[in-house]
Amino acid sequence: MNKISSLKPGDDGIIMEALINRVVSGKTNGANRSTYLSLTLQDETGNIDAKLWNASEEQVQTLVKGTVVHVKGDIIKYNEDKQMKIIKIHIVSDDEKEKIRFLKQAPLDREYLIAGIKKYIEKIDNMKLYQLVSTLFEENLDKLEIYPAASKNHHEYVSGLAYHTYSMLRIAESFCEIYPSLNKDLLYSGIALHDLGKTIELSGPVVPEYTIEGKLLGHISISNAMIKETADRLHIEGEEVTLLQHMILAHHGKNEFGSPVLPQIKEAEIVYLIDNIDARMAMMNKALETVEPGNFTKRVFSLENRALYKPKMYNK
């Protein structure tokens, strides 16, 4: 079966299976106006824009976002990019587990990521923090295993949240070696829970969207509330709870980036910096994957609208 990343203009009669990531209907111009569908199809290797001309009313009603389809079409060049002109299309499945097959996966296996995060949680010596973090982690494990870290921009794939968290913990471990005055218990706790609210903010790994709670509250305040509720339920009190909440509330670093407070302890500053490092590296890698060495990417809005250069020496 063909994969999206391997398709190129001039490929005719391509057959593949994909997930509908986005769909918009429209009408053609002229006297005999007909309905068409503009779709974004995706598999684990990437996305492609596609057009279905002369769409039937049944197709308009059934070809919806999040549906797995079997497609035959021709690949053309349009606006300096590839596009599929659909010849035939029909629905294969609407099963949630089946849909995950067509989504990009984290670079590391989800079981490995979860085990890795748990090893860092086990290194938390402060019993109040350990009990709070381990309880919240275990209670939300089903979602933490598969949720993305965002709906777009960075780590927006299956198990992206676990991969992002694990990567941050690895960076934090090296920071603790370089700066031994950092409290590893606070640092590991803050990182393990900093994006926990995204399991409520986002709808899930399949075509992630922001939930009502996500739009109205945001993951920072959701995470903070989850910590407070669990601490009260477990009768955990003291400075540790306040410091953990502070790291969550401050982990975007600036008010204009969504943090209601600025980092006021070293560990909060480090969580903010590590989060930013890992997110920006992910965005850069994502953009650079689309170009050959010696070329520039398209401008990346989330990176100050910069075009990034891919050095030729990357190929050596």
Side-chain angles (χ1 to χ4, degrees):
M1 194 71 70
N2 292 286
K3 297 297 181 182
I4 289 173
S5 62
S6 66
L7 303 180
K8 58 186 182 298
D11 291 343
D12 293 335
I14 292 297
I15 296 175
M16 67 178 195
E17 288 186 350
L19 179 80
I20 298 177
N21 180 282
R22 177 178 175 273
V23 58
V24 177
S25 62
K27 292 284 187 180
T28 58
N29 296 320
N32 300 316
R33 301 185 69 191
S34 61
T35 302
Y36 68 89
L37 295 177
S38 290
L39 306 100
T40 300
L41 303 176
Q42 81 171 70
D43 62 18
E44 69 275 20
T45 69
N47 299 338
I48 187 170
D49 289 330
K51 284 286 193 296
L52 175 63
W53 302 104
N54 298 313
S56 68
E57 183 60 31
E58 181 184 0
Q59 288 174 322
V60 172
Q61 296 298 322
T62 59
L63 296 175
V64 297
K65 183 166 61 174
T67 302
V68 178
V69 291
H70 186 278
V71 187
K72 179 179 181 180
D74 299 333
I75 309 301
I76 63 173
K77 187 174 183 179
Y78 180 75
N79 283 346
E80 300 304 314
D81 207 349
K82 60 187 180 184
Q83 184 184 87
M84 172 178 274
K85 180 182 177 182
I86 297 174
I87 300 171
K88 292 181 180 179
I89 183 170
H90 67 266
I91 295 172
V92 175
S93 174
D94 202 32
D95 180 75
E96 288 297 315
K97 292 182 178 179
E98 180 71 10
K99 293 175 183 180
I100 291 180
R101 285 202 303 120
F102 298 91
L103 304 176
K104 183 178 179 181
Q105 307 282 323
L108 297 174
D109 181 79
R110 73 185 65 165
E111 285 80 12
Y112 178 88
L113 292 170
I114 294 300
I117 295 171
K118 285 183 177 180
K119 285 182 180 178
Y120 281 101
I121 293 175
E122 291 296 325
K123 293 179 181 181
I124 299 172
D125 296 320
N126 182 285
M127 287 310 297
K128 290 182 180 180
L129 289 174
Y130 173 76
Q131 187 180 6
L132 191 49
V133 174
S134 59
T135 298
L136 279 163
F137 191 80
E138 291 297 332
E139 288 179 350
N140 295 278
L141 187 56
D142 289 348
K143 289 185 175 181
L144 287 168
E145 282 186 326
I146 60 173
Y147 262 54
S151 62
K152 58 181 180 179
N153 292 336
H154 75 92
H155 303 94
E156 72 287 16
Y157 41 72
V158 177
S159 303
L161 179 54
Y163 185 69
H164 176 47
T165 302
Y166 180 60
S167 297
M168 286 180 62
L169 286 166
R170 293 175 63 198
I171 298 171
E173 184 175 29
S174 65
F175 272 43
C176 287
E177 293 176 2
I178 299 168
Y179 306 108
S181 65
L182 289 170
N183 185 290
K184 71 170 177 59
D185 291 353
L186 281 173
L187 200 52
Y188 291 173
S189 298
I191 290 172
L193 301 183
H194 82 289
D195 275 348
L196 181 65
K198 288 186 175 179
T199 60
I200 294 174
E201 181 184 49
L202 299 173
S203 60
V206 180
V207 194
E209 295 181 325
Y210 286 93
T211 62
I212 292 176
E213 294 88 347
K215 291 176 180 177
L216 295 179
L217 304 175
H219 73 276
I220 290 178
S221 61
I222 293 171
S223 299
N224 180 60
M226 293 171 79
I227 291 170
K228 180 65 168 64
E229 184 277 327
T230 304
D232 289 346
R233 175 162 49 90
L234 298 177
H235 306 292
I236 298 174
E237 300 176 339
E239 186 185 52
E240 293 93 338
V241 178
T242 302
L243 293 176
L244 182 55
Q245 288 181 282
H246 172 69
M247 286 188 290
I248 301 305
L249 293 171
H251 86 263
H252 278 193
K254 299 180 181 180
N255 297 142
E256 57 266 37
F257 294 162
S259 275
V261 296
L262 304 186
Q264 294 170 60
I265 61 173
K266 289 183 296 182
E267 291 76 16
E269 180 77 4
I270 294 299
V271 171
Y272 153 59
L273 292 172
I274 292 176
D275 186 32
N276 204 27
I277 288 170
D278 194 55
R280 292 172 78 84
M281 284 301 299
M283 289 187 281
M284 286 185 169
N285 287 334
K286 178 184 173 183
L288 290 168
E289 285 175 357
T290 65
V291 298
E292 295 296 322
N295 292 290
F296 283 86
T297 68
K298 296 178 181 178
R299 291 187 178 275
V300 184
F301 178 77
S302 55
L303 292 171
E304 296 80 43
N305 208 31
R306 286 176 284 164
L308 305 177
Y309 178 68
K310 190 171 189 176
K312 295 178 182 177
M313 66 182 295
Y314 283 6
N315 238 10
K316 296 180 181 179

